[in-house]
Amino acid sequence: MAGLRVTPVHRHGQARLYVSLPDGRGAAWYDRETGRVALLLDDHEDEVLAALRPYAVGELRIGPPPVPTSADLTRLCLHPDDDLAPNRPGEALLHELERRRAGGRLRAGALRRELAAQEIAGAALDRLEGAGWRVLHALPLPGGSRIDHLLVGPGGILTVRSLNARHRRVRIADPLVTVGRAAPEPLLRHARYEAERASLALATAVRPVLLLVGAEHVETGRVTDVRVLTDSEIPGLARPGGVLKPADVESLHGSARDRRTWLRV
């Protein structure tokens, strides 16, 4: 069968390749660590093996799939085009850089610096998954805007707007944020708005976070409803708990990773 799609996913300590049919149904997954192929549709075995062979190391071993978790069931019900979990930090910025490079427009220093900040933030946030958090990056919103990062975990749901502040002073006077000698911007207002849209999409409370990546010094006035952090303070996000149970975390993460969830905001 032509058109089988292979999607690499590295989440929750597992590196897998998911194989789906053209209509979006899951056909199999391949565990890179064990070299094992779990077939979901036995009648597509030959096509699945042919699709996986370029990605596999050594012999492919076939066996029935383990009992799927609720997260597995959510993922397998999603068409790959609707699954936002594989999105990298700064996904939209990466595409914009590729577009500019293809068009011969190479002056993109500010874009690269913003991308670097999102990648640093994303890598640090991904490490929270060991504490029961689930992390999504670059969630597209109607109108062309996006949520840089979304965290779902024991402490609730957080939208995280990351800001490149490398080696610069940051002054905050709600709603304005000034980085170095740049003009002030109403970034706290933007952070609140993103949390409101996420709350509408997920039908639950969402708290905003402004993450200052690489800031040399931060002067903060009174800010009551937006948590302002530097990237060195990210591990502290893992400590609060008691808001969501593990089953609720998986359910909300499953909704958030579905692109269609964000179409109604």
Side-chain angles (χ1 to χ4, degrees):
M1 173 184 290
L4 288 185
R5 179 166 180 171
V6 179
T7 305
V9 176
H10 187 88
R11 278 304 202 218
H12 321 317
Q14 294 179 320
R16 289 179 172 177
L17 296 173
Y18 288 88
V19 183
S20 55
L21 302 184
D23 62 5
R25 286 182 297 152
W29 72 71
Y30 169 64
D31 190 305
R32 289 180 182 271
E33 294 183 4
T34 64
R36 179 176 171 274
V37 178
L39 281 174
L40 301 174
L41 301 173
D42 291 336
D43 53 337
H44 293 290
E45 178 178 333
D46 292 340
E47 295 92 338
V48 165
L49 294 180
L52 286 172
R53 195 156 286 118
Y55 305 93
V57 177
E59 183 181 356
L60 291 169
R61 292 182 293 151
I62 300 174
V67 176
T69 65
S70 59
D72 289 330
L73 291 173
T74 298
R75 177 178 55 249
L76 292 169
C77 289
L78 277 180
H79 190 284
D81 289 341
D82 290 325
D83 191 359
L84 300 174
N87 279 12
R88 300 162 292 180
E91 186 80 30
L93 299 177
L94 285 164
H95 290 307
E96 175 62 17
L97 280 172
E98 291 171 2
R99 188 181 68 81
R100 292 191 181 192
R101 190 177 297 113
R105 298 165 58 195
L106 300 178
R107 303 182 107 189
L111 206 61
R112 289 192 180 92
R113 289 190 291 272
E114 184 182 353
L115 174 60
Q118 292 205 26
E119 289 175 336
I120 291 170
L125 293 169
D126 282 342
R127 287 193 284 272
L128 298 178
E129 293 197 341
W133 290 77
R134 299 292 177 258
V135 186
L136 295 167
H137 306 287
L139 302 179
L141 298 174
S145 59
R146 66 180 182 274
I147 294 173
D148 291 343
H149 318 278
L150 183 82
L151 275 68
V152 184
I157 304 178
L158 308 174
T159 52
V160 181
R161 169 177 275 258
S162 54
L163 176 65
N164 174 38
R166 183 172 174 80
H167 301 319
R168 286 174 288 177
R169 297 171 67 89
V170 179
R171 296 181 297 279
I172 298 177
D174 196 2
L176 299 178
V177 177
T178 306
V179 180
R181 298 181 180 180
E185 295 185 70
L187 297 181
L188 294 184
R189 186 181 301 153
H190 297 333
R192 293 183 180 107
Y193 181 59
E194 289 161 4
E196 289 171 1
R197 296 184 80 175
S199 180
L200 178 63
L202 299 172
T204 190
V206 179
R207 292 176 295 150
V209 174
L210 179 65
L211 182 59
L212 308 173
V213 179
E216 184 177 274
H217 180 73
V218 181
E219 298 175 11
T220 307
R222 179 176 173 79
V223 181
T224 58
D225 58 341
V226 180
R227 188 168 181 179
V228 179
L229 300 174
T230 63
D231 49 306
S232 63
E233 297 173 304
I234 288 176
L237 289 173
R239 286 193 286 271
V243 178
L244 294 177
K245 298 177 181 178
D248 296 327
V249 170
E250 296 302 331
S251 176
L252 286 164
H253 174 255
S255 296
R257 68 186 294 172
D258 187 340
R259 185 184 301 274
R260 295 166 296 182
T261 297
W262 304 97
L263 297 179
R264 56 176 180 259
V265 297

